[in-house]
Amino acid sequence: MRRWNGWGDDTIDFPLPASAQPFLEQRLGKPTPLPDASFKDVMAVVPPSRLPDHPLVIKAPRDRILHARGQSLPDWLALRSGKLGAFPDGVAYPVSAEQVRALITFVKDQDGILIPYGGGTSVVGHINPPATDRPILTVNLSRMNRLLNLDEESHIATFGAGASGPDVESQLRAHGYTLGHYPQSFEFSTLGGWIVTRSSGQQSLGYGKIERLFAGGTMETPSGPLEIQDFPASAAGPDLREIVMGSEGRLGILTRVKMRVSSLPPRESFRVFFLPHWDSGCEALRRIVQAGIPLSMLRLSNETETETQLALAGHRKAVRLLEKWLAFRGAGVQKCMVTVGITGTKRLHRTALKEASHIFHEEKAVHAGKVLGHKWKKNRFRAPYLRNLLWERGYCVDTLETAINWDRVSPLMAGVESTLTGTLVGEREKVLVFSHLSHLYSQGSSIYTTFLFRAADTYEGTLARWRRLKKAASETIMEHGGTITHHHGVGTDHAPYLLSEKGPLGINTIKALCRTFDPDGLMNPGKLVS
Ligand SMILES: Cc1cc2nc3c(=O)[nH]c(=O)nc-3n(C[C@H](O)[C@H](O)[C@H](O)COP(=O)(O)OP(=O)(O)OC[C@H]3O[C@@H](n4cnc5c(N)ncnc54)[C@H](O)[C@@H]3O)c2cc1C
């Protein structure tokens, strides 16, 4: 069963190796865990529903709790403390576009609010009910998860928009196809969520961000259905797909989506290289991407992320031996790990590896082979489970992401890291910060930063620490000219920074779209734009 107040399936744990505790205590200090509220405690505080009965709407407290929060750190603090504030007044699980339309009408008649819900994996407050007098209905799309059509000639698969990562891949693989979209939240996040938050998967270098994979589909809106045709390309004015992508549940509910799929690759391999330092790593990645070498993944961890990953990998003896060998080959204390994915035919493997290795060699990289690459693949969706154990020990973990052109990648990463490191100094608290580049473009790269800090002695104090860190880091991103988000979306947490990115006319354009599709303001108000 899915954990109600943490990440993932409750039969799965990703244990911390024995070496992790001393490493973290040395970096952050000894933690004191905060006590967790029980599910029963939270059940006791769910208020009566404000919605009238409807055959499609469930008003049981259990369903309302399970849809009350996403997966951001503030969401975790709310769930773990049992102080959730607002709950949806009901949850519906439609199975058809007709039922979705009926639910929109029901909410409109109640002067209520409707929150579309995919997998609830948002990390920026997308699906949280606002504090309001209006009744709130959360519409969970998970029952609309079927492969409806597969056009094998055009490589277009039509799905119910509530299909999760495993739903999508298992149904496509049965026919010899893949979407190739693997966000780390793959186990639970859905097609609809990916599209409206502009998600990016681990192999975006090969398969592209969701923008490249979404071909068209149907969105049910309070103003009626919007049909987007799946042309390979079109010059017929502004592209309506672009309006839907990033709409964050503000315009309507995607019910049916057409996705560009690929034949299952005959081969896929992941391998690891170590670069002597960050600058050589960045240079190698930029050169490889700009040369158009057909890799499916490149991920460059900076020095601290490399050190942390090796410290948390367990197998102390093997890691020590590896480090000695790497130092001997020129990748010493400042080494940075690069994970490389190659997906395709045998011939493509040979050519891509040869071309990439040539550049790596010129940048003095050491090839560490496939063992670490296999390990990465095996655990590719397991790392978030570490958050559960870290929380139980008294440590908070959060991540930030942005994107910027190559000339400013390193200064922005350094700026965000030094801001985060310094933000809690006044409280004599340390923050462990590390970053990687994992979604790469000819023009620039995303930057993904993870930060860990100790929980304070109260939930309120812990939230205050997170707020200071998030604000300081977001302001640093803005000062350096980065986007406030490369793939997590805006939700509520990034909304204050949108104006400086889009400008007043841009914001008014988005608001005008919301008014056109949703004149009564039913759809997920307060997210993206106010
Ligand atoms: C551990 C972890 C790892 C993550 N890794 C990644 C990653 O690698 N890449 C990445 O891009 N993101 C990642 N995320 C963020 C998150 O998974 C994405 O934002 C994802 O796209 C959300 O999908 P979802 O189905 O869970 O949507 P939800 O969280 O349920 O909803 C997100 C938004 O989409 C709207 N929505 C959902 N379905 C529909 C629909 N059918 N029609 C209209 N609106 C809809 C909701 O109203 C809401 O505004 C991660 C999150 C976690 C917790």
Side-chain angles (χ1 to χ4, degrees):
M1 207 164 50
R2 195 161 161 192
R3 285 184 172 87
W4 72 276
N5 64 353
W7 177 252
D9 186 307
D10 60 9
T11 60
I12 299 174
D13 270 324
F14 192 58
L16 276 174
S19 53
Q21 190 75 20
F23 174 81
L24 291 169
E25 283 185 16
Q26 188 235 330
R27 291 307 187 101
L28 297 172
K30 238 183 161 45
T32 314
L34 286 166
D36 286 343
S38 69
F39 195 73
K40 210 166 137 203
D41 296 335
V42 181
M43 287 277 274
V45 299
V46 180
S49 172
R50 297 167 295 184
L51 282 169
D53 288 345
H54 183 284
L56 294 175
V57 176
I58 294 172
K59 297 194 278 184
R62 184 179 175 282
D63 294 75
R64 294 170 60 200
I65 295 170
L66 295 180
H67 291 81
R69 289 288 186 148
Q71 286 289 324
S72 70
L73 189 61
D75 293 340
W76 272 48
L77 297 178
L79 290 161
R80 297 276 180 167
S81 65
K83 293 180 186 154
L84 277 84
F87 294 86
D89 292 281
V91 181
Y93 303 85
V95 295
S96 65
E98 292 70 37
Q99 290 193 347
V100 168
R101 281 198 290 274
L103 290 164
I104 292 175
T105 307
F106 170 66
V107 172
K108 189 176 171 194
D109 291 346
Q110 302 309 315
D111 186 25
I113 283 175
L114 191 158
I115 303 179
Y117 186 102
T121 66
S122 162
V123 283
V124 290
H126 281 121
I127 51 94
N128 298 353
T132 166
D133 292 338
R134 297 165 74 188
I136 302 167
L137 177 69
T138 293
V139 176
N140 178 321
L141 278 301
S142 63
R143 290 189 186 161
M144 298 176 69
N145 63 349
R146 305 285 299 279
L147 174 62
L148 304 169
N149 186 52
L150 180 61
D151 175 346
E152 299 199 45
E153 195 167 356
S154 308
H155 281 195
I156 293 288
T158 307
F159 274 98
S164 67
D167 293 334
V168 171
E169 285 300 325
S170 60
Q171 294 181 83
L172 284 177
R173 274 159 201 252
H175 297 272
Y177 291 89
T178 178
L179 180 64
H181 189 73
Y182 303 108
Q184 208 178 37
S185 56
F186 176 82
E187 281 170 275
F188 304 102
S189 52
T190 64
L191 282 166
W194 297 340
I195 292 163
V196 305
T197 62
R198 292 183 173 266
S199 160
S200 196
Q202 289 163 343
Q203 284 165 261
S204 64
L205 188 59
Y207 291 102
K209 229 169 158 258
I210 202 73
E211 288 94 317
R212 208 163 96 195
L213 302 172
F214 174 54
T218 311
M219 190 167 74
E220 298 295 339
T221 86
S223 300
L226 175 74
E227 291 291 344
I228 304 173
Q229 297 192 53
D230 60 335
F231 303 116
S234 163
D239 187 346
L240 294 175
R241 291 174 325 122
E242 289 291 343
I243 289 172
V244 169
M245 292 188 294
S247 61
E248 304 196 349
R250 290 300 311 265
L251 306 181
I253 301 187
L254 275 171
T255 51
R256 205 172 47 92
V257 292
K258 295 189 171 203
M259 306 303 296
R260 297 175 177 136
V261 298
S262 310
S263 300
L264 269 177
R267 253 182 107 176
E268 184 155 77
S269 72
F270 296 93
R271 54 187 76 226
V272 163
F273 290 77
F274 285 89
L275 276 298
H277 46 74
W278 174 254
D279 289 344
S280 56
C282 255
E283 186 63 9
L285 262 61
R286 185 183 63 77
R287 287 180 59 196
I288 288 172
V289 177
Q290 291 180 345
I293 298 171
L295 304 175
S296 61
M297 190 183 100
L298 271 174
R299 172 185 163 138
L300 169 66
S301 298
N302 72 1
E303 186 186 324
T304 312
E305 184 170 288
T306 303
E307 185 195 357
T308 307
Q309 283 191 338
L310 293 176
L312 299 189
H315 313 292
R316 251 345 268 166
K317 263 193 187 159
V319 168
R320 244 181 252 136
L321 270 177
L322 171 72
E323 290 193 305
K324 263 193 181 166
W325 176 72
L326 289 171
F328 175 72
R329 302 278 313 273
V333 282
Q334 291 182 296
K335 65 185 168 304
C336 292
M337 186 161 94
V338 180
T339 311
V340 177
I342 313 179
T343 304
T345 59
K346 213 169 165 185
R347 195 182 304 168
L348 180 135
H349 259 77
R350 248 197 327 267
T351 318
L353 184 60
K354 192 169 152 217
E355 295 290 318
S357 296
H358 179 68
I359 293 178
F360 278 132
H361 180 71
E362 288 189 344
E363 298 298 337
K364 311 265 180 289
V366 184
H367 186 187
K370 289 193 201 164
V371 176
L372 290 172
H374 275 310
K375 203 170 154 104
W376 175 86
K377 187 181 175 189
K378 194 167 147 234
N379 293 326
R380 65 192 296 178
F381 306 125
R382 287 287 181 265
Y385 284 85
L386 277 177
R387 288 169 79 194
N388 300 322
L389 279 176
L390 288 166
W391 170 262
E392 282 156 24
R393 305 243 171 125
Y395 295 112
C396 301
V397 190
D398 199 10
T399 59
L400 291 159
E401 37 78 55
T402 176
I404 197 156
N405 290 354
W406 280 115
D407 60 333
R408 283 168 290 159
V409 165
S410 295
L412 172 49
M413 181 190 79
V416 168
E417 290 205 347
S418 82
T419 298
L420 286 167
T421 310
T423 298
L424 302 184
V425 166
E427 292 180 51
R428 301 225 180 111
E429 278 301 319
K430 293 185 206 151
V431 184
L432 173 60
V433 189
F434 46 85
S435 307
H436 65 249
L437 311 184
S438 53
H439 304 283
L440 302 160
Y441 308 89
S442 216
Q443 176 185 349
S445 174
S446 71
I447 305 169
Y448 189 91
T449 300
T450 302
F451 56 101
L452 281 83
F453 59 101
R454 291 193 301 184
D457 48 13
T458 60
Y459 274 98
E460 292 74 17
T462 308
L463 183 61
R465 271 184 194 167
W466 176 83
R467 282 213 172 104
R468 276 201 293 284
L469 289 162
K470 179 78 178 175
K471 183 168 184 289
S474 301
E475 285 171 4
T476 305
I477 290 173
M478 294 286 98
E479 280 156 22
H480 280 77
T483 173
I484 192 60
T485 172
H486 168 265
H487 59 264
H488 284 164
V490 178
T492 47
D493 295 353
H494 292 151
Y497 306 96
L498 206 60
L499 177 62
S500 74
E501 189 162 327
K502 305 282 184 201
L505 185 56
I507 293 288
N508 283 341
T509 308
I510 298 171
K511 286 185 176 172
L513 282 170
C514 292
R515 281 194 300 275
T516 303
F517 284 92
D518 176 28
D520 300 310
L522 317 178
M523 300 300 305
N524 211 7
K527 317 296 160 54
L528 184 64
V529 286
S530 52

